[in-house]
Amino acid sequence: MVPFDKKICSNLTPIAKIKSLASKLSITEEELINISNSIDKLWKPGKLLYKKNGDPRPTINAKPQLKQLHEKIKNRLLKQVDYPTYLLGGIADSASPRDYKRHAAIHSGKQILISEDIKDFFPNTSYDIVYNIWKYIFQCTPEVAEILTKITILNGELPQGWKTSGYLANLALWDREPDLVEQLTKRGFTYSRFMDDITVSCKSKITKKQMSYIISMIYGMLFSKGYTPKRSKHQIATSINRMEVTGLTVNSKKPTLPNKNKIRSAVHLCETKAKYDRTSNNYKTLWRQTSGKVGTHPNKGKKLRERLTAIKHYNFAVFTESGLTFHAKFFKRPIYSYITYTKMATLVTANRIFFLDFLSVIP
């Protein structure tokens, strides 16, 4: 892992030429340049998600040609970085597993908890931020950094849903975050970030002056990179009340589901994880386990089901404005059907999708 006195850096040899980058990605230089100049034609709308407040959260799917290239960039470039242990979302790391449970665990049993959220994190991760990641962390020349940025950015924003986006989001604060963490650690505080969720905790009580210092340090880091904190998500909790990190209660030494409303918390956990991971077997298992519980909620079952249906595992189905596309993995052979509907309720089980109410199938 990265010591505090070092900036985050790649383990790769600097890439100086586009030809070298193309070779690294097992693609011709001409193909690489053509893809970088055709990004507007190589994507399609993904699943429309909804935030907890009901606001839409659109996602973007890369078309096969671009998606294959993203997979190579992720595996051959982005995974070749020693990510600091305080980054806990969207990173595959067998040596030091990163997930919402670990994010909660390192803050368990503390006396005080400060939680901040980066407003519209992915849309506000700009072209310049991503360009500087490629230029400085990977030590690419300007022409190589430019072509990598064009391939991983859409309309000047970091798209939610692309294979490269989670890793780039983790690196977005690369030049400010290590220094912040070092300063907080020296003062006895614990810092972690789960994508756009920032949490700081302390084993002992702190003064209002110390609290203001922590918050001002975080806000200063965000403002310097063009981000803003989401004020409605700002929270300060102490051990005399319930403290929560990524849906888990952290008052005791180990994070636990809250004693009350465990079903609602399980749905919330799915929503948290769905922001960055809806394709893994772990998420599928979590989603199915939660799906089996929501029907038992005494009075919120229907609403919880609607929230859970909106974040189904990608292998189930994807809704678009024109209807619904079944994924090939769900069947023995590819099947694509488009369905119009009114008042459609969807019930997903392990092996079948049932559509209730009025349906009309278009051949």
Side-chain angles (χ1 to χ4, degrees):
M1 296 304 164
V2 179
F4 290 138
D5 60 347
K6 293 183 179 179
K7 298 296 184 183
I8 302 172
C9 60
S10 166
N11 296 318
L12 299 170
T13 302
I15 304 173
K17 298 180 179 180
I18 295 177
K19 183 177 181 180
S20 300
L21 174 63
S23 176
K24 185 76 175 177
L25 300 175
S26 301
I27 191 174
T28 68
E29 184 176 358
E30 182 181 3
E31 288 174 321
L32 185 61
I33 293 172
N34 287 340
I35 290 175
S36 71
N37 291 329
S38 307
I39 296 300
D40 287 344
K41 302 176 182 178
L42 295 175
W43 68 275
K44 56 185 178 181
K47 179 73 174 183
L48 181 62
L49 305 180
Y50 292 90
K51 302 178 183 179
K52 291 180 68 176
N53 62 5
D55 292 339
R57 186 195 298 276
T59 62
I60 303 294
N61 284 342
K63 290 184 178 180
Q65 185 182 18
L66 181 59
K67 184 176 289 188
Q68 291 171 9
L69 183 58
H70 282 164
E71 182 72 17
K72 293 176 183 178
I73 292 172
K74 181 186 74 173
N75 292 328
R76 301 179 189 183
L77 301 181
L78 291 169
K79 283 189 175 182
Q80 308 309 312
V81 171
D82 291 324
Y83 291 87
T85 53
Y86 57 76
L87 297 176
L88 294 166
I91 299 171
D93 186 351
S94 57
S96 178
R98 328 286 183 102
D99 58 19
Y100 68 93
K101 291 181 181 178
R102 177 60 183 162
H103 183 52
I106 67 174
H107 298 290
S108 295
K110 303 295 181 67
Q111 289 292 313
I112 192 161
L113 196 70
I114 300 173
S115 302
E116 301 290 349
D117 186 273
I118 306 173
K119 185 177 181 181
D120 297 327
F121 184 40
F122 279 74
N124 285 323
T125 300
S126 65
Y127 182 101
D128 288 343
I129 289 175
V130 175
Y131 175 84
N132 285 331
I133 290 173
W134 294 119
K135 183 178 180 180
Y136 294 108
I137 296 181
F138 292 87
Q139 301 179 58
C140 295
T141 57
E143 64 172 358
V144 173
E146 181 181 3
I147 200 167
L148 281 168
T149 305
K150 290 169 67 175
I151 291 170
T152 53
I153 280 286
L154 182 65
N155 298 327
E157 301 177 357
L158 188 64
Q160 293 194 59
W162 285 9
K163 291 177 177 291
T164 51
S165 293
Y167 284 87
L168 290 169
N170 274 294
L171 297 173
L173 303 172
W174 68 275
D175 55 340
R176 292 296 305 272
E177 204 166 30
D179 292 334
L180 169 66
V181 177
E182 180 183 22
Q183 293 300 317
L184 292 176
T185 302
K186 286 180 177 178
R187 289 165 172 76
F189 304 118
T190 301
Y191 173 101
S192 69
R193 176 161 65 89
F194 189 86
M195 289 298 185
D196 56 355
D197 294 326
I198 295 173
T199 305
V200 177
S201 61
C202 187
K203 293 180 179 179
S204 58
K205 295 180 180 179
I206 63 175
T207 64
K208 289 185 178 181
K209 184 177 180 179
Q210 289 174 309
M211 200 177 301
S212 296
Y213 168 80
I214 295 170
I215 295 169
S216 65
M217 288 279 285
I218 294 172
Y219 286 8
M221 173 183 70
L222 297 181
F223 292 143
S224 73
K225 301 291 289 185
Y227 296 112
T228 56
K230 192 169 186 177
R231 304 285 182 171
S232 61
K233 292 290 190 72
H234 167 75
Q235 289 186 345
I236 298 173
T238 60
S239 58
I240 61 174
N241 299 308
R242 178 174 176 260
M243 299 192 298
E244 178 183 311
V245 177
T246 49
L248 299 177
T249 301
V250 295
N251 292 67
S252 58
K253 291 184 178 181
K254 292 184 179 181
T256 60
L257 281 171
N259 292 328
K260 296 181 180 180
N261 299 322
K262 287 187 177 181
I263 299 172
R264 293 177 62 185
S265 295
V267 173
H268 176 69
L269 286 179
C270 284
E271 290 173 329
T272 300
K273 198 168 182 63
K275 294 179 184 179
Y276 318 109
D277 173 20
R278 294 176 63 192
T279 59
S280 70
N281 288 330
N282 287 340
Y283 179 76
K284 182 189 293 186
T285 299
L286 175 65
W287 191 94
R288 286 177 172 175
Q289 289 173 343
T290 306
S291 179
K293 297 174 183 176
V294 294
T296 63
H297 196 285
N299 48 28
K300 298 287 185 179
K302 184 177 179 180
K303 289 186 176 181
L304 292 174
R305 171 63 64 192
E306 291 173 352
R307 286 168 56 185
L308 198 60
T309 298
I311 54 169
K312 288 191 298 289
H313 187 274
Y314 275 145
N315 283 355
F316 292 152
V318 174
F319 285 91
T320 64
E321 291 183 358
S322 60
L324 176 135
T325 301
F326 291 108
H327 282 228
K329 286 185 180 180
F330 210 79
F331 302 92
K332 293 181 179 179
R333 59 186 179 85
I335 297 176
Y336 299 94
S337 300
Y338 291 91
I339 298 173
T340 59
Y341 56 90
T342 58
K343 291 185 179 180
M344 186 178 77
T346 306
L347 173 64
V348 180
T349 66
N351 298 310
R352 296 179 176 83
I353 300 180
F354 298 92
F355 298 99
L356 310 178
D357 217 337
F358 303 102
L359 300 179
S360 59
V361 179
I362 301 176

